[in-house]
Amino acid sequence: MLEARSIAEAHLYLEIQVCQTCNLRWDGVRHALRTLEDRPVAVYSLSCSSCGARDQLEFLMPREPLPPGPLGGNEPSKIMDPGEFHAASDVYFALARDAVEQANPGNREKVATLLRRSIYALAEVPKFIPPSEDRVPPELIVSEIGRASYQRNPDRFVRDRIEYEIQDLLNLMQRYLPDAGPVN
Ligand SMILES: [Zn+2]
């Protein structure tokens, strides 16, 4: 069974899964909860409206839920690789930029949410770097999405560069959304 560190991580994992037939995101998602011994298990029933395919994913969840915000604690993910987190961060950033360009004042909270998600996804990448090293070991990047992200720019998997990019995003949030609240 998959093991998620938070509901947010399970949701992010779901967002990058596609129907094997259509290669499209699952557009029908139903959520249920069960328990396994004393651990909660989040059950997602997925369906694809294009071809009718169905699937089910189960995530073993921590006994104590994380407070909302970060995708996990200090330990790296067991279900996503560092390249997938990088790619997810870029997608959220692009969505935030699109929302800014629409220049709709009602979008401010949406932009803040997307930027926070971009930051939280990026903050997962350095958790994969061994303490004695300065970058993500490429062999930890095993998914197709992750490999593509790595090949576009391996330098973005260096610890200093990741920290710089996170700071850049935090500055951006502070500049454009000073009242959005802190990113924990
Ligand atoms: Zn399908």
Side-chain angles (χ1 to χ4, degrees), residues 15 21 24 29 46 49 61-62 66 69 71 113-114 119 123 128 131 145 151-152 156 161-162 170 172:
E15 284 198 32
T21 310
L24 295 171
V29 179
L46 309 169
S49 65
M61 305 300 298
L66 270 190
L71 294 158
T113 300
L114 289 167
I119 293 166
F128 290 89
I145 296 171
Q151 278 154 12
R152 269 195 299 280
R156 294 185 71 205
R161 169 73 182 261
I162 300 162
L170 289 168
L172 200 68

Side-chain angles (χ1 to χ4, degrees), residues 2 13-14 16-21 24-32 42-49 51-59:
L2 300 164
Y13 180 88
L14 284 177
I16 59 172
Q17 305 308 307
V18 293
C19 164
Q20 299 289 316
T21 310
L24 295 171
R25 274 185 55 196
W26 298 99
D27 53 0
V29 179
R30 279 189 311 126
H31 174 234
V43 183
Y44 293 88
S45 303
L46 309 169
S47 58
C48 171
S49 65
C51 71
R54 289 175 181 282
D55 199 2
Q56 185 165 292
L57 288 176
E58 296 194 327
F59 298 89

Side-chain angles (χ1 to χ4, degrees), residues 108-109 116 173-174 176-182:
R108 287 175 62 82
E109 198 39 52
R116 270 195 209 96
M173 256 191 95
Q174 217 159 39
Y176 291 103
L177 304 152
D179 50 348

